[in-house]
Amino acid sequence: MGKTEDSLRARRCHWSMVLSICFFIILTQVSCLSLQARKKELKSFRASLASVPADKKMSKIKTYETLYPVSLIKDELLFQRCQLLLENGDYQEAIGYLQRLIKNYPESARLFEAAYTLAVCYHKLDQFDDSRVTLEKMLRDINALERQLKRKKLTEWKAKLALKRQLTEVTKPAFIIPVRVLYAELLLGEQSYQDALIQYRILARIVPGTKLDTLAFRYALNNQQAVCQYALLEIEKAIVLLENNISLERDLVTDSGAKVDSSKLLISIFRHMGRHYEAQILALNALQLPLSQPERDELTQAVQSMIEQEMDESELRAVIEMYQTKYPANLAAFRLVHLLDEEQRYREALEFIELNSAWIDNEEERTKLQDLFGKLTIKVNVNPRKIGFMGPLSGLYAPLGLEIVRGVRLAVDEHNADAAHMSQRIELVEVDTGPESTEIPESIDYLVRSEQIIALIGPVLSRAVEVALERINEYQIVAITPATSEEKLPGLSPYLFRNSITAKQQVEALVDYVMEHNGFRRFGVLFPDTRIGNELNNQFQEYVYQRGGLILGVASYSDDTTDFEAAINKIRGRYLEALFIPDYSTRVAEIAPQLAYHDVTALHIVGTNLLHSQDLIEVGGRYVEHILFTDNFFIETESILERDFIERFQESFGLKPTRYAAQAYDAAVMLLTQIDAGVTNREALRQGLSQISQFRGITGTLSFDEQGEINRQLHILTVDHGSFIQLQ
């Protein structure tokens, strides 16, 4: 009985194995037939697709999908559709189909190619993170592919066959090399230099012996490795790679459209390292190759930039010595002359021009060199003990010009009286510009070329300054204007300084004072419809708002009116704390009683130094009591320094000084202080004046800003019991 059961079990196992083998054989035959059918269909489809024009291929694919809904090559249809979309630049639409292929056909031979194509689409759309993530996943899957194959059992032969097909595709150099190139490019773009370098080194191992192993590919690969190494501070390794690459450029550059990326990169590295001379040689050598015009322009610009902005004196002289009469020796020569000029080594610059001008054969460049020689000669021929004055000493503006020149004369006379030796005395050369500004250029020519002055006080009027600017810049002569008030005038030239107060300075000082000391926040403006009136109105309103105040009423009036009722009515009942009237003293003296007449009394009138005249008190009387305004000079000052100046001025000229005389005096003293400090040329004088800070002058504690504008704290003045008094 027992033997019978064992026999039966053995027979059952035998027939079970036979049936399994038969089933496997049948399944294999069916699968083989299926694979053969797929191959046949794929071959037929590709042939039919190749036979139609490019613009008909998409229609062909759609028709095929409609006719064969149970096709064995649906993954191929999706992939070919994506390829056509890529060719047309429809990257976003292609992404959807590629994602479908990857999700629905994981055993497709096109799987990894689809993943790479997806990464390319993301890259084209500047979705760099998505592109990198897609590639990283694909590379991980490829690395896991062989391990997965080893784990598959015999019964999973179909899956194993699919994996083998995928592995065959991804190990082809034509596939994996572009994948690594794109991945490295993405890492480089993210500044992941270490990871990018690893990818480039992998490429350096797998490319040799393939069809992609060309001179151009190796050149590009080395170039990118050098970028990574330089970023990782492996500078010497980067330089070696680039130098090897540069030796290939002559073989690579065979047409006028070629580039020299390695030369440009090494030039950039050398420039950052301060090795400008070596960078210059590289650029000039590259320019000998048949380059595209943009490449030539870029390298030429690099040569010019290095010479004009980066090279020191020794490097410039080395370029001149090496290239002598050839380009870029001419550029280096001009830059060297300018460098010596900037360092105030004028005589050395003149000697260089005299020795080297013979080899400059270009007429235009020779003319420029002659101009430089002339300007340097003017800079050398300067008398450091001689200053000039330029202003109207006759005609309509003579009173202003005479006030200013008296201040300059007093400063020079006092300086000379204190001089220990005759050689320390200062000579003042005065030029009368008269009522017009037409002869100002000729006057400056005379003062600079004939009198050889080191500096100029003047011009006096704003229009005269504008006319003089061209000569001031040409001769690079320091000019201090002691009376102009036009905004941003000094900013027109680095050699122009101003020692006078501007409308903006007055407005800011006035608003700061009344808001901080009086607590005013509500303002009105009553202004003349003139250029200065409109300018002061705009500046006042802008600064009040900037400080957090309110403008509750604004009105203007004609410059020739004597009836201010209409303008006053526009500001009545506005609960103002202060009323800004930017007009002359006599006009404000006429307005003040009319304000009282129209019951506009519960406020302070405030203004500028246009009010600082005895006419204000004599005409306005009690109506101008407690008025507030700004100025930088007060004749009734209690300051010992200012009172002493006033006494000395009266003793010398029999007149009381005005603010203009005081400003001119301060300007002259600042110049004389620099000269006594040992300044011997105009550029050194300009630099010295630019650094003046906290200079104690008659008109306050003075400092020049970067624009040559004087900064000082202004006085705040008022009328009290019929007299001007100083509040600040």
Side-chain angles (χ1 to χ4, degrees):
M1 188 70 177
K3 290 182 178 180
T4 304
E5 289 178 355
D6 289 343
S7 175
L8 287 172
R9 274 199 297 270
R11 286 183 184 141
R12 289 193 192 102
C13 289
H14 171 74
W15 286 110
S16 177
M17 283 185 66
V18 170
L19 288 172
S20 295
I21 292 169
C22 290
F23 178 76
F24 176 74
I25 292 170
I26 293 168
L27 185 63
T28 302
Q29 291 295 322
V30 171
S31 296
C32 287
L33 290 173
S34 176
L35 287 173
Q36 289 173 0
R38 173 183 164 83
K39 286 181 180 180
K40 185 176 180 180
E41 184 181 353
L42 186 61
K43 183 178 180 181
S44 173
F45 168 74
R46 286 176 175 171
S48 65
L49 188 65
S51 66
V52 299
D55 59 337
K56 302 292 184 182
K57 289 183 184 295
M58 184 64 78
S59 176
K60 179 74 174 178
I61 293 172
K62 291 178 180 178
T63 302
Y64 194 95
E65 289 173 333
T66 304
L67 293 174
Y68 304 101
V70 291
S71 170
L72 298 173
I73 59 168
K74 286 185 176 181
D75 59 330
E76 181 69 19
L77 296 174
L78 281 172
F79 188 79
Q80 292 299 335
R81 182 190 286 263
C82 292
Q83 292 299 106
L84 293 174
L85 290 171
L86 258 65
E87 290 174 10
N88 294 328
D90 297 330
Y91 304 114
Q92 195 63 55
E93 188 177 353
I95 287 172
Y97 287 108
L98 289 165
Q99 290 172 335
R100 245 175 77 188
L101 192 157
I102 293 168
K103 180 181 179 181
N104 297 338
Y105 303 97
E107 295 182 354
S108 171
R110 293 289 196 181
L111 180 69
F112 290 109
E113 194 172 354
Y116 168 66
T117 307
L118 179 61
V120 170
C121 289
Y122 283 136
H123 186 264
K124 293 288 186 180
L125 294 171
D126 293 341
Q127 297 176 23
F128 302 122
D129 286 343
D130 291 333
S131 182
R132 176 181 51 76
V133 169
T134 301
L135 287 176
E136 286 174 344
K137 181 181 183 305
M138 185 185 70
L139 289 170
R140 285 196 303 271
D141 291 345
I142 290 173
N143 291 334
L145 198 57
E146 287 188 352
R147 294 195 300 272
Q148 194 175 358
L149 277 169
K150 292 176 182 177
R151 291 197 299 269
K152 292 292 180 183
K153 297 178 181 178
L154 181 64
T155 55
E156 297 174 305
W157 68 273
K158 185 178 179 181
K160 194 169 185 177
L161 187 61
L163 292 175
K164 282 184 177 180
R165 288 204 309 269
Q166 290 177 341
L167 185 62
T168 301
E169 293 298 322
V170 300
T171 54
K172 291 178 180 178
F175 173 77
I176 197 62
I177 290 173
V179 169
R180 296 281 182 185
V181 169
L182 178 58
Y183 185 41
E185 181 184 339
L186 289 165
L187 292 170
L188 189 60
E190 293 178 354
Q191 298 183 6
S192 300
Y193 298 113
Q194 188 64 60
D195 293 336
L197 185 58
I198 290 171
Q199 294 303 315
Y200 287 125
R201 285 174 174 164
I202 291 172
L203 284 166
R205 286 201 312 271
I206 65 177
V207 167
T210 68
K211 291 182 179 179
L212 293 174
D213 187 17
T214 63
L215 193 63
F217 190 89
R218 290 201 305 274
Y219 176 85
L221 187 60
N222 290 341
N223 211 51
Q224 298 301 74
Q225 285 190 77
V227 170
C228 296
Q229 288 173 328
Y230 180 67
L232 294 168
L233 301 181
E234 298 177 7
I235 297 173
E236 291 305 319
K237 291 181 180 179
I239 291 174
V240 170
L241 265 178
L242 291 171
E243 286 176 338
N244 290 337
N245 253 15
I246 289 169
S247 66
L248 305 176
E249 285 179 344
R250 190 168 296 277
D251 296 326
L252 282 168
V253 180
T254 57
D255 58 76
S256 60
K259 296 182 178 181
V260 282
D261 292 335
S262 290
S263 285
K264 291 192 296 184
L265 181 55
L266 189 52
I267 289 167
S268 177
I269 291 173
F270 280 160
R271 290 175 74 175
H272 283 120
M273 295 174 70
R275 295 162 64 174
H276 305 112
Y277 182 67
E278 294 170 83
Q280 186 87 180
I281 292 174
L282 281 173
L284 293 167
N285 287 343
L287 282 169
Q288 303 304 311
L289 301 174
L291 307 176
S292 65
Q293 192 57 47
E295 289 283 284
R296 300 192 68 80
D297 292 343
E298 185 178 346
L299 288 168
T300 302
Q301 179 59 40
V303 170
Q304 185 173 336
S305 179
M306 281 186 279
I307 287 175
E308 294 181 352
Q309 300 174 25
E310 300 170 19
M311 286 190 169
D312 59 23
E313 182 181 344
S314 62
E315 290 171 322
L316 290 169
R317 291 188 184 276
V319 170
I320 294 167
E321 183 178 352
M322 181 171 184
Y323 294 97
Q324 297 181 356
T325 62
K326 299 176 184 177
Y327 175 86
N330 55 337
L331 293 180
F334 276 99
R335 176 56 192 147
L336 180 58
V337 171
H338 284 296
L339 182 64
L340 296 171
D341 182 9
E342 291 165 7
E343 295 179 356
Q344 302 167 33
R345 295 157 61 187
Y346 306 128
R347 296 192 184 279
E348 289 182 57
L350 287 171
E351 290 173 5
F352 178 84
I353 292 174
E354 289 176 337
L355 290 172
N356 293 276
S357 60
W359 55 264
I360 303 291
D361 54 5
N362 182 283
E363 188 62 32
E364 183 179 351
E365 291 180 349
R366 188 185 293 275
T367 301
K368 288 181 181 178
L369 208 58
Q370 289 171 349
D371 289 342
L372 275 172
F373 189 86
K375 291 176 181 178
L376 287 165
T377 302
I378 290 171
K379 291 181 179 181
V380 167
N381 296 330
V382 59
N383 185 341
R385 312 302 296 182
K386 186 182 286 190
I387 64 174
F389 167 80
M390 174 184 289
L393 302 179
S394 61
L396 178 63
Y397 299 105
L400 176 61
L402 289 168
E403 286 181 27
I404 292 170
V405 78
R406 289 185 188 115
V408 179
R409 289 171 184 169
L410 180 61
V412 172
D413 289 345
E414 290 178 348
H415 174 275
N416 289 343
D418 293 337
H421 192 272
M422 286 292 294
S423 62
Q424 296 176 331
R425 292 170 65 88
I426 296 294
E427 181 182 350
L428 174 64
V429 182
E430 300 175 11
V431 172
D432 177 15
T433 57
E436 304 292 336
S437 303
T438 54
E439 296 182 2
I440 283 179
E442 291 75 13
S443 299
I444 297 178
D445 289 341
Y446 164 73
L447 288 169
V448 172
R449 292 179 177 273
S450 300
E451 295 294 339
Q452 300 178 0
I453 63 169
I454 191 170
L456 173 67
I457 296 177
V460 169
L461 305 175
S462 296
R463 173 59 184 158
V465 172
E466 292 172 1
V467 173
L469 273 174
E470 183 178 350
R471 286 293 198 279
I472 289 171
N473 287 326
E474 178 184 348
Y475 293 132
Q476 298 180 2
I477 184 166
V478 168
I480 304 180
T481 175
T484 59
S485 60
E486 292 289 328
E487 292 297 324
K488 300 180 180 178
L489 199 57
L492 298 176
S493 170
Y495 300 95
L496 181 62
F497 295 79
R498 170 160 55 195
N499 183 31
S500 59
I501 52 176
T502 66
K504 184 173 183 289
Q505 290 172 341
Q506 293 195 69
V507 163
E508 292 180 358
L510 180 68
V511 173
D512 287 342
Y513 182 84
V514 298
M515 292 186 80
E516 292 169 9
H517 290 79
N518 298 80
F520 294 163
R521 289 293 182 274
R522 303 190 304 275
F523 298 89
V525 184
L526 190 62
F527 67 97
D529 191 11
T530 60
R531 183 187 61 81
I532 186 66
N534 280 280
E535 179 184 335
L536 284 163
N537 166 50
N538 293 334
Q539 290 179 343
F540 184 83
Q541 290 196 53
E542 181 181 343
Y543 194 63
V544 166
Y545 284 128
Q546 184 179 325
R547 285 293 311 270
L550 298 172
I551 301 293
L552 301 179
V554 179
S556 65
Y557 53 84
S558 173
D559 191 37
D560 57 0
T561 188
T562 57
D563 184 359
F564 303 95
E565 180 179 2
I568 291 171
N569 284 335
K570 292 180 180 179
I571 61 170
R572 288 178 64 185
R574 299 299 180 93
Y575 303 103
L576 306 178
E577 294 173 314
L579 179 64
F580 180 56
I581 310 179
D583 209 341
Y584 290 95
S585 56
T586 53
R587 299 286 283 165
V588 175
E590 293 173 358
I591 293 171
Q594 294 192 37
L595 286 170
Y597 179 79
H598 292 287
D599 295 325
V600 184
T601 55
L603 51 71
H604 272 75
I605 298 174
V606 297
T608 68
N609 63 359
L610 297 174
L611 302 180
H612 197 181
S613 169
Q614 198 62 32
D615 293 338
L616 179 71
I617 297 171
E618 292 174 358
V619 177
R622 64 186 177 88
Y623 297 105
V624 296
E625 284 286 311
H626 308 301
I627 199 168
L628 296 172
F629 61 91
T630 57
D631 210 335
N632 64 339
F633 182 68
F634 182 39
I635 200 72
E636 302 299 331
T637 181
E638 295 181 1
S639 164
I640 296 175
L641 183 66
E642 291 179 55
R643 294 191 68 82
D644 187 44
F645 164 74
I646 293 167
E647 290 174 5
R648 298 197 314 274
F649 191 93
Q650 283 184 292
E651 183 180 341
S652 296
F653 305 108
L655 300 166
K656 288 185 177 181
T658 64
R659 77 173 68 90
Y660 298 112
Q663 288 168 178
Y665 180 88
D666 281 344
V669 171
M670 285 189 283
L671 281 179
L672 299 174
T673 301
Q674 293 297 313
I675 292 171
D676 286 343
V679 165
T680 59
N681 62 68
R682 298 180 183 112
E683 179 58 27
L685 178 59
R686 184 195 69 78
Q687 294 176 7
L689 284 176
S690 299
Q691 295 168 9
I692 282 181
S693 178
Q694 302 299 305
F695 179 87
R696 186 65 181 95
I698 303 303
T699 57
T701 301
L702 312 176
S703 302
F704 281 116
D705 66 14
E706 64 277 3
Q707 297 294 322
E709 191 76 79
I710 204 73
N711 290 323
R712 58 161 69 82
Q713 184 177 21
L714 298 181
H715 299 318
I716 302 295
L717 305 176
T718 189
V719 177
D720 186 31
H721 294 89
S723 298
F724 290 120
I725 65 168
Q726 181 177 333
L727 298 177
Q728 173 180 288

